[in-house]
Amino acid sequence: MGFTSLLYISAVFLTLSSVSNACPPSDRAALLAFKAALHEPYLGIFNSWTGTDCCHNWYGVSCDQETYRVADINLRGESEDPIFEKAHRAGYMTGTISPEICKLTRLSSLTIADWKGISGTIPPCIASLPFLRILDLIGNRLTGEIPADIGRLSRLSVLNVADNQLSGTIPRSLTNLSSLMHLDLRSNIISGTIPRNFGQLRMLSRALLSKNKLNGPIPYSIPYIYRLSDLDLSFNQLSGPIPDSLGKMAVLATLNLDGNQLSGTIPPTLINSRISILNLSRNGLEGYIPDAFGPRSYFSALDLSFNKLKGRIPKSISSATYIGHLDVSHNHLCGPIPTGSPFDHLEASSFTYNDCLCGKPLRTC
């Protein structure tokens, strides 16, 4: 074999090698169709989406190193990336999320976040992406509903669609997401009830559902989520009693139930629990503040304001290990405010608008 033939074979091998290390034409076509449905006028983040190989130097695109299929799309409108720092501005993008994105069948994470102007619906076909682990669409103007078949994404660990204009209800299938760890539906117009079997989400550590139009009771299945540390159901239209089992959860540290229509009494279990931020304000809670404080009571913030609570501030509150902020204003409390910690550092606004509370920092008894 001559030298010329060897050179030819080597050139062919290098060509084939470089082609095999590039993304397939079908993935490239899907990305370009996705790009065509969007308009980003200021930063030029799509300027790098040129050439035949979308696995190299396409902004926000990453590929699997073995299959060279597109695995990650990470496009954030708020970032410390040099392209944003140079422009001295956050991103703004309009358009829609094209269903062509669903042709990227090896997609593991899809982040299209904080662009403020992206509208339209979440393509229902996203629920057919078998490898999807992260779906982050926070901070856009998306409308319509969460895809009904979202529960088919068996690997999904993060679902973040906060700060959009999504409506409809929480899909029943969502409770099938056995790998889900982070759920953020805040600041939409989602209505209906929280699914009764919400507690099936056993891996969930954060459930943020505030500022929607959810109604009905707090599901009694929630305490089955033994990893849950942050539960925010505030500013909805939830009604009925607070399940006392919430105070028995092993790692629950933040519980925000403010701004609802909850009734009944405050479960004593919430007072003597591992919860450090407890906000029950702006509900219709009645009865007495539970006399259940003890060494386990450690509150960086405890807000019981704007309810219908009566009676005295319990003496056991002085036995709490720590209370950083306390607000019991706008109730029907009466009697002397206890002395000592934590009351020696609280202001009058923590106690105002009650029936007949007295003592420092209010008027003397």
Side-chain angles (χ1 to χ4, degrees):
M1 182 181 296
F3 181 69
T4 303
S5 299
L6 285 173
L7 285 177
Y8 174 75
I9 293 173
S10 297
V12 170
F13 176 79
L14 288 173
T15 300
L16 291 175
S17 177
S18 63
V19 170
S20 64
N21 290 351
C23 70
S26 58
D27 280 14
R28 178 179 177 276
L31 285 173
L32 292 177
F34 163 74
K35 168 190 170 183
L38 297 169
H39 177 59
E40 191 282 294
Y42 301 113
L43 302 173
I45 66 164
F46 290 128
N47 290 346
S48 63
W49 287 30
T50 59
T52 58
D53 186 7
C54 59
C55 288
H56 293 91
N57 300 321
W58 282 39
Y59 184 89
V61 178
S62 301
C63 295
D64 183 276
Q65 294 184 354
E66 294 182 359
T67 65
Y68 298 98
R69 298 292 307 278
V70 173
D72 305 295
I73 296 175
N74 186 4
L75 300 174
R76 291 191 178 276
E78 297 177 1
S79 171
E80 296 180 359
D81 189 277
I83 196 172
F84 291 85
E85 293 183 354
K86 184 178 180 180
H88 301 291
R89 61 166 296 140
Y92 182 77
M93 191 186 300
T94 58
T96 60
I97 300 175
S98 170
E100 293 293 311
I101 203 79
C102 302
K103 293 181 179 179
L104 301 172
T105 55
R106 299 290 299 192
L107 203 60
S108 176
S109 68
L110 176 60
T111 299
I112 308 169
D114 298 315
W115 291 103
K116 305 173 184 65
I118 296 178
S119 58
T121 61
I122 301 172
C125 61
I126 278 180
S128 67
L129 294 171
F131 297 96
L132 197 64
R133 297 178 183 274
I134 296 173
L135 179 59
D136 186 352
L137 306 176
I138 186 176
N140 293 293
R141 289 197 299 124
L142 299 173
T143 56
E145 302 184 14
I146 298 171
D149 292 333
I150 195 77
R152 294 173 58 190
L153 298 174
S154 60
R155 290 179 168 86
L156 198 68
S157 62
V158 174
L159 175 58
N160 188 352
V161 293
D163 297 318
N164 280 284
Q165 300 170 16
L166 298 174
S167 57
T169 60
I170 298 175
R172 291 183 180 180
S173 72
L174 186 141
T175 58
N176 295 333
L177 297 173
S178 58
S179 298
L180 194 65
M181 300 174 66
H182 179 100
L183 174 65
D184 194 345
L185 310 181
R186 291 174 295 172
S187 300
N188 283 285
I189 47 177
I190 298 170
S191 59
T193 59
I194 302 172
R196 291 178 61 186
N197 59 342
F198 195 80
Q200 287 183 186
L201 300 171
R202 300 295 175 86
M203 299 297 290
L204 202 62
S205 62
R206 303 191 77 199
L208 310 177
L209 281 66
S210 65
K211 297 180 182 178
N212 280 285
K213 295 186 176 181
L214 298 169
N215 56 53
I218 298 172
Y220 278 82
S221 64
I222 286 181
Y224 297 145
I225 311 174
Y226 57 88
R227 294 174 178 262
L228 192 63
S229 64
D230 189 353
L231 177 61
D232 189 351
L233 305 178
S234 61
F235 295 100
N236 280 287
Q237 300 166 12
L238 300 174
S239 58
I242 301 173
D244 63 351
S245 52
L246 289 177
K248 300 176 182 179
M249 298 181 68
V251 297
L252 188 64
T254 301
L255 178 60
N256 289 324
L257 301 178
D258 48 308
N260 281 287
Q261 301 166 15
L262 299 171
S263 57
T265 59
I266 299 174
T269 54
L270 296 183
I271 300 301
N272 191 16
S273 68
R274 298 184 182 277
I275 298 172
S276 61
I277 298 176
L278 178 61
N279 193 338
L280 306 180
S281 68
R282 300 180 187 276
N283 281 287
L285 299 173
E286 301 176 319
Y288 302 95
I289 299 175
D291 194 8
F293 292 87
R296 288 185 62 186
S297 304
Y298 187 104
F299 292 103
S300 55
L302 174 59
D303 193 342
L304 308 178
S305 63
F306 291 91
N307 279 290
K308 302 176 182 179
L309 301 173
K310 62 182 181 179
R312 294 172 175 251
I313 297 175
K315 291 183 178 180
S316 67
I317 198 168
S318 298
S319 66
T321 296
Y322 177 77
I323 297 181
H325 171 76
L326 174 68
D327 192 346
V328 295
S329 64
H330 296 84
N331 280 287
H332 300 293
L333 300 174
C334 198
I337 298 171
T339 58
S341 179
F343 302 97
D344 50 8
H345 70 264
L346 297 174
E347 298 181 357
S349 58
S350 294
F351 306 100
T352 53
Y353 297 99
N354 277 286
D355 288 359
C356 51
L357 280 180
C358 61
K360 189 178 179 181
L362 302 181
R363 60 178 177 83
T364 57
C365 294

